[in-house]
Amino acid sequence: MSSGGGVWGRVRRAFSRRRPEPLDPARPDLVVVVSSFDDVEACSTALERGATTEPAWSPEAEAVLRHHLELPADSVERAIALAAQDGYAPAQPANPAGPGLEAVLLQRVQVLDALHCSQERSRMAGLAQRLGGTALGWDALQPEIGAG
């Protein structure tokens, strides 16, 4: 019996295939490929726009989905803990918050589609509202085309 053929050979090859490394949110070559800070804009509309503008969003590839929130300072740790249950981690916000609020940026890596983007957007809006804050919007980052 040959060691590379048959059922065992196929099983061994299936488990030995290299899986791509997950996207690292700290990669220096990540750029914003799609964003929406308009409450009435559908995620599907934003994603369509992102696919047709440069840098273009790639629907098949993982993205770093980021939600921009403003929260009362005393609720930030609670928000981070609750979001962590869904795989989100805090990141450094780029913009300051309004008076009496703290800017919070929550991110996670996922393949982005309109349905899941909409669900996550709604989840973050609910989280912010329960904690006395506001969900400002979301964006997604992917590596620049040609970056490895």
Side-chain angles (χ1 to χ4, degrees):
M1 187 180 334
S2 125
S3 65
V7 172
W8 290 115
R10 287 191 299 271
V11 169
R12 188 170 36 280
R13 283 190 300 278
F15 284 105
S16 67
R17 287 191 191 133
R18 255 194 111 191
R19 296 196 175 27
E21 291 292 318
L23 181 62
D24 179 359
R27 281 178 62 160
D29 62 335
L30 294 177
V31 294
V32 175
V33 293
V34 62
S35 65
S36 180
F37 289 84
D38 181 350
D39 285 344
V40 298
E41 181 180 43
C43 288
S44 59
T45 302
L47 293 173
E48 285 175 20
R49 183 181 66 250
T52 61
T53 57
E54 290 297 324
W57 165 63
S58 175
E60 318 75 46
E62 286 185 322
V64 179
L65 177 60
R66 304 187 310 178
H67 297 277
H68 301 257
L69 311 174
E70 287 186 344
L71 300 170
D74 63 351
S75 67
V76 170
E77 291 302 318
R78 177 92 174 119
I80 291 170
L82 289 169
Q85 295 173 7
D86 291 318
Y88 284 93
Q92 184 62 44
N95 300 313
L101 298 173
E102 192 168 320
V104 177
L105 184 61
L106 298 170
Q107 67 182 19
R108 78 174 183 189
V109 173
Q110 68 181 73
V111 175
L112 196 56
D113 61 48
L115 173 64
H116 293 102
C117 180
S118 181
Q119 288 172 337
E120 294 307 309
R121 175 182 175 184
S122 178
R123 178 176 288 144
M124 288 297 163
L127 173 68
Q129 184 178 30
R130 281 191 312 275
L131 297 175
T134 304
L136 302 173
W138 61 273
D139 59 19
L141 295 88
Q142 289 180 322
E144 279 188 286
I145 301 298

